[in-house]
Amino acid sequence: ALPICMDSARFQLQQLIANESRYERNRLLALIKQTGNPAISILLEQLHKDSPWFVVRNVIRLLGEIGNPALFATVRPFINHSDLRVQQEVISTAVKIGGNNLKDFLLHALQNVDDSLKIKVIAHVAQAHDERFVRPLTDLLESAKPFLGKNKNDLQISICKTLGAIGSKRATAPLNRVVQSKNVLGLAGYSDEVRQAAGQALEQIRRAAAPLSKERGEETNGRQEEQPSRTSALMPAPGVQA
């Protein structure tokens, strides 16, 4: 089919963007694929209007379906949108788009999004394997601040699993503190499930470190074996005056 004219595309896009129906969104995606870049321009134009939250969310979702990393910079600021449903869509879309800026975005989101969205961010951090996440994650795990999300227990378990997936030794001490913690005088501490998750994460970190330690050990042994031969070469032969 020939690309439809811009005015028609604009009209249809505006009709469909405001529609909550999944079927209508699929129609909209097909329309975008048909019209190409002009339709993307209309979406970006719509994004910067004063639109209802569900229109903003739908546009961001569609940009995620398009999947162009060049759109990342446009989507990212909406993580600060007043509606949590828009923020949630921004996280999903950022992960779909990917690109070089994703880790920086997740690091920012982990420390700034509403508590109810933190588990969603942490699940994606597990794929990042970046040590920069260790400190914010362990700070969150050991934080005494009230958690405003639905389930602090689930959050803590998710953090432990993600720390295990990252595999950094820097997480060892905080995880050990969780494992060894006990509820004191009836105060809320860590649940048995969280302590178990922390223990599993520690084991995962140890397993990840084992091959590295073995390699380093073999390198060290190799150097030690070479050392005597070099030393003996410097020693005077028996019966020879030094």
Side-chain angles (χ1 to χ4, degrees):
L2 291 171
I4 56 179
C5 73
M6 281 291 290
D7 287 343
S8 175
R10 180 174 277 107
F11 175 77
Q12 290 191 53
L13 283 167
Q14 285 171 346
Q15 293 298 308
L16 293 170
I17 284 168
N19 200 309
E20 284 289 270
S21 158
R22 182 176 293 180
Y23 169 74
E24 296 296 344
R25 280 204 305 274
N26 288 337
R27 279 186 59 204
L28 179 50
L29 275 172
L31 183 66
I32 289 166
K33 286 170 185 172
Q34 185 184 359
T35 55
N37 286 333
I40 295 174
S41 300
I42 296 166
L43 285 177
L44 297 178
E45 181 185 304
Q46 181 68 51
L47 198 56
H48 292 99
K49 291 179 179 175
D50 187 16
S51 304
W53 71 267
F54 60 88
V55 170
V56 177
R57 187 198 61 189
N58 284 353
V59 172
I60 289 170
R61 181 176 290 169
L62 287 161
L63 293 174
E65 295 291 341
I66 293 165
N68 183 347
L71 298 170
F72 195 98
T74 303
V75 171
R76 176 177 179 148
F78 288 88
I79 194 64
N80 300 316
H81 194 276
S82 58
D83 194 287
L84 293 181
R85 290 162 291 191
V86 172
Q87 293 181 29
Q88 186 169 355
E89 198 60 52
V90 171
I91 295 165
S92 298
T93 293
V95 172
K96 281 181 190 170
I97 291 175
N100 298 329
N101 297 312
L102 179 59
K103 288 182 182 180
D104 288 340
F105 167 80
L106 290 173
L107 193 62
H108 169 81
L110 178 63
Q111 297 170 89
N112 292 283
V113 296
D114 186 82
D115 282 352
S116 62
L117 297 178
K118 279 186 165 57
I119 288 182
K120 187 175 179 69
V121 176
I122 290 164
H124 294 305
V125 167
Q127 311 302 317
H129 300 288
D130 190 324
E131 287 206 358
R132 288 183 301 161
F133 291 103
V134 172
R135 181 62 184 270
L137 285 170
T138 53
D139 283 351
L140 191 55
L141 182 62
E142 296 190 289
S143 174
K145 288 195 302 184
F147 177 65
L148 303 177
K150 285 184 181 177
N151 197 327
K152 187 171 186 176
N153 201 59
D154 287 349
L155 177 84
Q156 291 173 336
I157 290 170
S158 181
I159 291 171
C160 291
K161 287 180 177 177
T162 296
L163 288 169
I166 293 171
S168 169
K169 284 187 173 181
R170 289 166 57 192
T172 301
L175 287 168
N176 265 323
R177 287 195 287 272
V178 174
V179 169
Q180 293 165 15
S181 70
K182 298 291 178 188
N183 290 350
V184 181
L185 301 175
L187 296 174
Y190 297 101
S191 69
D192 290 340
E193 294 92 341
V194 173
R195 282 196 285 270
Q196 185 179 356
Q200 289 168 346
L202 282 168
E203 184 56 34
Q204 204 173 345
I205 291 168
R206 286 191 197 103
R207 283 200 306 269
L212 293 173
S213 300
K214 188 178 178 184
E215 282 174 23
R216 290 194 189 106
E218 286 170 357
E219 287 172 13
T220 305
N221 289 340
R223 285 197 296 270
Q224 286 173 345
E225 285 168 12
E226 291 168 15
Q227 190 67 30
S229 60
R230 286 201 299 269
T231 307
S232 59
L234 298 173
M235 294 283 288
V240 177
Q241 293 294 323

